[in-house]
C-alpha cells in the first residue's frame, strides 16, 4: 500500500466527517446570503451584503447604545398577573412562564441608565423576543418607571420600540396602557426633558398609536415596518392599492412622520449628539 492510501486518505476522511457547529453560520432574512454569526454580531446584526437590519435582543440594544456597553438595569414594578384568567391554547400564566424561561426576561420592556456620548441618559427597550413585544400592564408600569427615573436624574429618555401591539390576553387592560404611557410622556414634557423614540422593525398597533409617535425626535432604523393596522387590512377597508413601501421608515420620512432614518451602527453617535444639543438648549436661557 502506498502512502496515499495509508496516510492521506484517512486524513481526508477525518476532515469530511468533522462536524460544523449549527450556530456558525446564519442566513440573511432579506437577501438569503450566508453570513458568519461572529461577523453578523460584529456588524450589530446588520447584513454585510444588503444592509438589512435584523432583530436585536434587549441585551444587545443596551450594550450597543451605552458608552463602552456599561449600564445599570433597574428593577421594575410588578403588575397584576393574569387579571382576566385568560386562556387560549394554554393558560396565560403558563405562557408567561414559558416566555420568561425562553427569553430570560421578566416582561416585554427593560429599563437601564448610563451614559450616551458622555451624557446621562435613561433607556427603555422593548423586547420583541417576549410575546412579540406586546403591550400589557407590566409594560405600562415599566414605561412609567422609566419616565420617573429620567425625571429623578434630570436625564433624557430614549425608547426603542419593537412591538406587535396590545396584548390580547389582557383585553381592555392592555389598551389602558395607551393613555398611561401618554401621561408619562406629558410628565417628561412638564419636566422639560428630551424624549427620543427609535422605532425598529416592527412598531405596530397600540404602541404606534401611543408613546411611539410622541417623541420630541422621531428616529427609525432603515426599512422598519411602522403603522397601526396591517397593509392588507387597510387595502380591504379603503378598497385601494397602497403605494410601494407604504408603512416603511423611508416612506414615513418622506411624508413628515419621522425626523430621520439612521443605520444601526450610527445610532449611538447620533443619539449622543442629539442629547448634547437638547441638553444645551434646555439649560441655555433665551436671548434678551
Amino acid at each position: 500500500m502506498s502512502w496515499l492510501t495509508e496516510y492521506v486518505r484517512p486524513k481526508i476522511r477525518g476532515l469530511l466527517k468533522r462536524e460544523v457547529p449549527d450556530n456558525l453560520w446564519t442566513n440573511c432574512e432579506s437577501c438569503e446570503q450566508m453570513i458568519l454569526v461572529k461577523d453578523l454580531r460584529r456588524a450589530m446584526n446588520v447584513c454585510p451584503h444588503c444592509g438589512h437590519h435584523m432583530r436585536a435582543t434587549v441585551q444587545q440594544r443596551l450594550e450597543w447604545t451605552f458608552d463602552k456597553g456599561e449600564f445599570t438595569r433597574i428593577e421594575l414594578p410588578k403588575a397584576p398577573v393574569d387579571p382576566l384568567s385568560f386562556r387560549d391554547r394554554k393558560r396565560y400564566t403558563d405562557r408567561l412562564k414559558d416566555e420568561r424561561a425562553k427569553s430570560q426576561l421578566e416582561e416585554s420592556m427593560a429599563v437601564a441608565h448610563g451614559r450616551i456620548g458622555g451624557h446621562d441618559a435613561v433607556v427603555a427597550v422593548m423586547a420583541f423576543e417576549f410575546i412579540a413585544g406586546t403591550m400589557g400592564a407590566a409594560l405600562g408600569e415599566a414605561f412609567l418607571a422609566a419616565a420617573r427615573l429620567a425625571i429623578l436624574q434630570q436625564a433624557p429618555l430614549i425608547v426603542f420600540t419593537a412591538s406587535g401591539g396590545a396584548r390580547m390576553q389582557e383585553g381592555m387592560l392592555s389598551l389602558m396602557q395607551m393613555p398611561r404611557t401618554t401621561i408619562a410622556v406629558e410628565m417628561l414634557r412638564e419636566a422639560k426633558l428630551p424624549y427620543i423614540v427609535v422605532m425598529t422593525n416592527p412598531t405596530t398597533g397600540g404602541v404606534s398609536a401611543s408613546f411611539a409617535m410622541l417623541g420630541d425626535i422621531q428616529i427609525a432604523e432603515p426599512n422598519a415596518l411602522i403603522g397601526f393596522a396591517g397593509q392588507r387590512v387597510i387595502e380591504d377597508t379603503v378598497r385601494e392599492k397602497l403605494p410601494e413601501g407604504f408603512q416603511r421608515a423611508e416612506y414615513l420620512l418622506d411624508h413628515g412622520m419621522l425626523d430621520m432614518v439612521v443605520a444601526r451602527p450610527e445610532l449611538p453617535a447620533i443619539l449622543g449628539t442629539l442629547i448634547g444639543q437638547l441638553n444645551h438648549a434646555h439649560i441655555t436661557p433665551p436671548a434678551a
Side-chain angles (χ1 to χ4, degrees):
M1 296 177 68
S2 69
W3 68 275
L4 286 171
T5 56
E6 290 180 352
Y7 182 77
V8 176
R9 186 180 293 172
K11 288 287 184 181
I12 293 173
R13 284 175 179 167
L15 288 171
L16 292 174
K17 289 180 180 178
R18 187 176 297 169
E19 293 184 1
V20 178
D22 292 335
N23 61 351
L24 188 63
W25 295 86
T26 189
N27 290 89
C28 174
E29 303 157 357
S30 180
C31 68
E32 299 183 353
Q33 290 283 334
M34 289 187 69
I35 313 165
L36 272 170
V37 170
K38 65 177 183 179
D39 290 343
L40 185 63
R41 288 174 180 166
R42 195 180 299 120
M44 296 185 176
N45 287 9
V46 177
C47 176
H49 303 289
C50 68
H52 175 66
H53 285 50
M54 301 185 197
R55 292 198 181 109
T57 65
V58 163
Q59 185 68 19
Q60 287 173 325
R61 289 279 181 199
L62 293 174
E63 290 175 356
W64 295 338
T65 302
F66 286 106
D67 293 350
K68 299 179 181 179
E70 297 173 354
F71 56 87
T72 303
R73 291 266 293 268
I74 69 166
E75 186 174 347
L76 298 172
K78 300 297 182 184
V81 178
D82 196 16
L84 304 180
S85 300
F86 191 93
R87 179 171 185 165
D88 45 27
R89 287 177 295 176
K90 64 170 70 173
R91 288 187 177 89
Y92 182 38
T93 50
D94 293 338
R95 189 179 296 280
L96 288 172
K97 184 179 178 180
D98 292 345
E99 290 290 332
R100 285 167 181 159
K102 184 171 65 176
S103 67
Q104 297 299 302
L105 296 169
E106 283 298 308
E107 254 297 336
S108 58
M109 178 173 276
V111 179
H113 60 96
R115 296 179 74 80
I116 302 175
H119 308 285
D120 291 335
V122 176
V123 175
V125 181
M126 297 190 70
F128 196 83
E129 62 266 36
F130 192 98
I131 317 184
T134 44
M135 177 172 61
L139 185 141
E141 292 290 348
F143 192 90
L144 280 164
R148 287 169 179 151
L149 179 62
I151 293 168
L152 180 66
Q153 296 190 353
Q154 286 294 288
L157 174 61
I158 296 101
V159 176
F160 288 83
T161 62
S163 177
R167 188 173 297 173
M168 68 173 189
Q169 291 90 344
E170 296 188 22
M172 184 59 72
L173 294 174
S174 66
L175 298 178
M176 288 171 62
Q177 308 316 308
M178 296 170 67
R180 290 189 78 209
T181 54
T182 301
I183 289 169
V185 174
E186 282 302 311
M187 290 164 53
L188 293 167
R189 297 266 197 278
E190 291 174 5
K192 294 182 171 56
L193 293 171
Y195 172 52
I196 301 172
V197 179
V198 181
M199 287 180 271
T200 73
N201 184 50
T203 297
T204 60
V207 170
S208 69
S210 55
F211 64 91
M213 288 292 182
L214 297 176
D216 297 316
I217 296 179
Q218 300 285 122
I219 304 173
E221 290 189 334
N223 204 41
L225 176 66
I226 302 165
F228 181 69
Q231 183 166 337
R232 187 175 60 184
V233 173
I234 298 171
E235 288 181 337
D236 289 345
T237 302
V238 301
R239 301 183 186 280
E240 290 182 13
K241 184 71 176 174
L242 295 174
E244 185 71 25
F246 184 77
Q247 293 185 319
R248 293 292 173 176
E250 291 74 13
Y251 184 92
L252 270 63
L253 177 65
D254 291 341
H255 290 78
M257 296 291 289
L258 296 174
D259 295 303
M260 58 183 80
V261 174
V262 181
R264 189 176 292 162
E266 300 170 12
L267 262 174
I270 292 289
L271 289 172
T273 299
L274 289 172
I275 292 168
Q277 291 174 341
L278 292 169
N279 284 347
H280 180 73
H282 172 54
I283 63 175
T284 303

